[in-house]
Amino acid sequence: MSSPPTGRVLVVDDEVDLAQLVAGYLSKAGLEVAVRHDGAEAVAVVRDFAPDVLVLDLGLPGIDGIEVCRQVRTFSDCHVLMLTARDDEVDKIVGLSVGADDYVTKPFSPRELVARVQAMLRRARTQPGSAPPAGHRLVIGDLVVDEDSRQVHLAGEPVVLTRIEFDLLAALAARPQLVLSRRQLVEMVWDTAWTGDAHLVDVHIGRIRKKLGDEAASPRFIHTIRGIGYRMGTGR
């Protein structure tokens, strides 16, 4: 049995008792944890603490979780797990659109949250060991996905993607013309034991399309297969 993943986690929530409870569970799981209760301070701590995972409350006073995530994404590629007290799909989509990787709706089980964080850390830790042979590039028309360097170029210009976005695009590009369901993509990109909403794949796909200038109505790269999932196009 593999040992639990290790790493740094920053918990940001203005509910002091909840933040400490979550931090306690994460610490018991062998993770290095810092806690903050203010959005502005959280951005500064991300710079200094360099967490692998940021557990971020959406409803922070002052600078809310959306703005914190937006600012953090300008200099950090850490995983972001958003906490929301509102079971509102709009809030979740907005949070994901600024670079969050996943969300948990309050009230939640601290053990579930720890499992989500550990799944994120396993992805970050296993990527180097699972790299393909040197020079392995996926080419779709004028789109190049380099799995070694984890870089994407479109018509020779770099396309900046988050880790989740890159892994989704690579999963599709590596299997051209094969339709992958949302659940299959979740298992490939997140974790086989992940139990969240598979439709968050749609949000990340939307972000990838926007960065590639790919119109959903007439796509060159990512095609929606209604009721099933997605497949990679030819780039034409």
Side-chain angles (χ1 to χ4, degrees), residues 1 6 18 26-27 47 56 58 69 71 82-83 92-93 112 114 119-121 134 172 181 185 188 199 220 223 233-234:
M1 181 179 296
T6 59
L18 177 61
L26 291 167
S27 295
R47 291 184 183 276
L56 179 63
L58 178 68
C69 188
Q71 292 186 28
M82 193 78 81
L83 306 179
K92 296 168 186 175
I93 290 174
E112 178 192 353
V114 171
M120 289 177 165
L121 290 169
L172 290 165
S181 70
L185 288 168
M188 291 175 181
H199 281 82
R220 296 171 57 205
H223 293 254
T234 62

Side-chain angles (χ1 to χ4, degrees), residues 26 51 64 81 89 107 113 121 124 126 194 209 216 221 226:
L26 291 167
D64 65 11
L81 177 62
E89 190 66 21
L113 187 142
L121 290 169
T126 56
W194 189 81
R209 280 174 166 158
F221 302 112
R226 189 177 298 277

Side-chain angles (χ1 to χ4, degrees), residues 127-128 130-137 145-151 166:
Q127 283 168 2
S130 60
H136 192 107
R137 299 195 308 165
V145 181
D146 190 319
E147 293 189 322
D148 276 347
S149 65
R150 296 183 64 81
Q151 293 182 344
F166 179 90

Side-chain angles (χ1 to χ4, degrees), residues 214-229:
D214 204 24
E215 296 292 336
S218 55
R220 296 171 57 205
F221 302 112
I222 301 177
H223 293 254
T224 300
I225 309 303
R226 189 177 298 277
I228 302 176

Side-chain angles (χ1 to χ4, degrees), residues 119-234:
M120 289 177 165
L121 290 169
R122 278 194 295 271
R123 285 187 57 253
R125 189 175 65 170
T126 56
Q127 283 168 2
S130 60
H136 192 107
R137 299 195 308 165
L138 306 170
V139 180
I140 304 93
D142 57 357
L143 176 68
V144 178
V145 181
D146 190 319
E147 293 189 322
D148 276 347
S149 65
R150 296 183 64 81
Q151 293 182 344
V152 175
H153 287 81
L154 178 61
E157 295 297 320
V159 180
V160 180
L161 301 179
T162 67
R163 280 181 280 197
I164 291 286
E165 292 166 1
F166 179 90
D167 289 344
L168 277 171
L169 181 60
L172 290 165
R175 301 160 183 83
Q177 303 304 308
L178 179 65
V179 178
L180 296 175
S181 70
R182 293 180 181 86
R183 178 50 56 183
Q184 286 175 307
L185 288 168
V186 163
E187 292 176 356
M188 291 175 181
V189 172
W190 279 265
D191 188 85
T192 55
W194 189 81
T195 59
D197 184 357
H199 281 82
L200 76 85
V201 171
D202 301 340
V203 179
H204 289 288
I205 290 292
R207 283 164 46 187
I208 297 170
R209 280 174 166 158
K210 183 176 181 180
K211 292 180 179 182
L212 296 180
D214 204 24
E215 296 292 336
S218 55
R220 296 171 57 205
F221 302 112
I222 301 177
H223 293 254
T224 300
I225 309 303
R226 189 177 298 277
I228 302 176
Y230 300 93
R231 69 170 171 81
M232 201 69 189
T234 62

